[in-house]
Amino acid sequence: MKRVKKRVGRVSNYIRSKVESGEALHFTLIDPDKVVSTEWLRKTASTVADSGTDAFLVGGSIGVSESDVEATVKVLKEFKLPVILFPGNVTGISKHADAILFMSLLNSDDPYFIVGAQVLGAPIVVKYGLEALPTAYIIVGYGGAAGYIGKARPIPYDRPEVGAAYVMTAELLGMKYAYLEAGSGAPEPVPPKFIETTVKYRNNITIIVGGGIRRPDQARQLTQAGADIVVTGTLIEKNPMKVADIISAIKRK
Ligand code: 1GP
């Protein structure tokens, strides 16, 4: 098996230094299946980069081919921000990215999404020398396509103690990030109270939250509850100009 030298810690150091300085981060999610054209992608990426997004996530739950991922990553690399893979399956890997959320969907009922896809993907990640960010993917509430495809048993919004137990599990297993996912296009984001409870019981693990975040007040409440990173996808597909207000809301001290 061929492999290239691993790029150690560049993206995780970038994230950690911001989190440690007390800054909340914003990640822009681009689903390669929803990229209308290269022109659209460049324009959207340039708008969100100018608005102060901290990184790009690239991935989706369905319809994502390797060549779509590759083409998307190459364009996003022009914007001098970290490009991080957010794979829904093994086809979500590109050697041109800076890092990968190496995820396990912890509350799936199907071992394929907990460790099966990872076993198929790991040799590719190692071969490409991609920086892996070990991440627990935890589906909450609505769940959307990620929850359905991933055969998740979503945690109810009003049971934050169950979410906290998953985050504790992730941390005890040595994972560095926990992504609390309401599902793309969720009618309501993960409630701030849910985040607050999980944060109370975490030690160092970085909390990412996404799904259904459309307004600056929602994003701000989530970071005030303790989320380290806020992800928006649908909003950017619809109107990238709106992301500037979300970013200024979460960056405000
Ligand atoms: C989905 O958490 C992300 O994986 C983003 O969700 O598309 O609702 O912003 P939205």
Side-chain angles (χ1 to χ4, degrees), residues 29 34 57 59-61 86 137 146 179-186 209-214 231-237:
L29 171 63
K34 304 213 172 107
L57 286 186
S61 303
F86 173 48
Y137 195 42
Y179 192 140
L180 297 164
E181 172 71 271
S184 188
V209 63
I213 301 166
R214 295 174 186 83
V231 181
T232 58
T234 306
L235 177 83
I236 289 156
E237 286 159 19

Side-chain angles (χ1 to χ4, degrees), residues 53-249:
T53 196
D54 297 286
F56 291 108
L57 286 186
V58 177
S61 303
I62 195 157
V64 178
S65 72
E66 274 179 49
S67 61
D68 292 343
V69 175
E70 190 95 342
T72 303
V73 168
K74 279 187 176 165
V75 171
L76 294 178
K77 287 287 290 174
E78 294 168 17
F79 296 88
K80 313 284 170 229
L81 286 169
V83 179
I84 305 167
L85 301 168
F86 173 48
N89 214 322
V90 196
T91 54
I93 311 174
S94 157
K95 60 169 164 263
H96 301 288
D98 298 298
I100 179 168
L101 292 186
F102 197 76
M103 305 193 293
S104 173
L105 205 176
L106 287 191
N107 60 331
S108 174
D109 275 342
D110 184 344
Y112 177 80
F113 293 100
I114 303 170
V115 74
Q118 294 75 1
V119 169
L120 298 173
I124 306 173
V125 170
V126 170
K127 181 161 66 183
Y128 291 166
L130 280 170
E131 180 183 345
L133 309 175
T135 304
Y137 195 42
I138 301 161
I139 309 272
V140 190
Y142 170 73
Y148 180 80
I149 301 283
K151 297 182 196 160
R153 219 155 8 98
I155 304 168
Y157 279 163
D158 60 355
R159 300 320 298 252
E161 74 280 11
V162 179
Y166 269 97
V167 172
M168 285 182 242
T169 302
E171 188 151 27
L172 294 176
L173 285 169
M175 293 170 170
K176 304 291 183 214
Y177 305 84
Y179 192 140
L180 297 164
E181 172 71 271
S184 188
E188 285 299 323
V190 177
K193 174 90 189 112
F194 197 103
I195 299 293
E196 210 178 280
T197 306
T198 62
V199 166
K200 202 154 68 186
Y201 293 100
R202 67 106 181 247
N203 186 20
N204 273 319
I205 196 164
T206 300
I207 306 286
I208 309 173
V209 63
I213 301 166
R214 295 174 186 83
R215 300 192 316 264
D217 63 300
Q218 292 172 323
R220 172 121 183 121
Q221 282 170 14
L222 289 165
T223 53
Q224 281 184 325
D228 301 298
I229 303 173
V230 165
V231 181
T232 58
T234 306
L235 177 83
I236 289 156
E237 286 159 19
K238 293 196 169 138
N239 186 355
M241 302 296 281
K242 283 200 172 165
V243 88
D245 290 342
I246 294 217
I247 296 172
S248 35

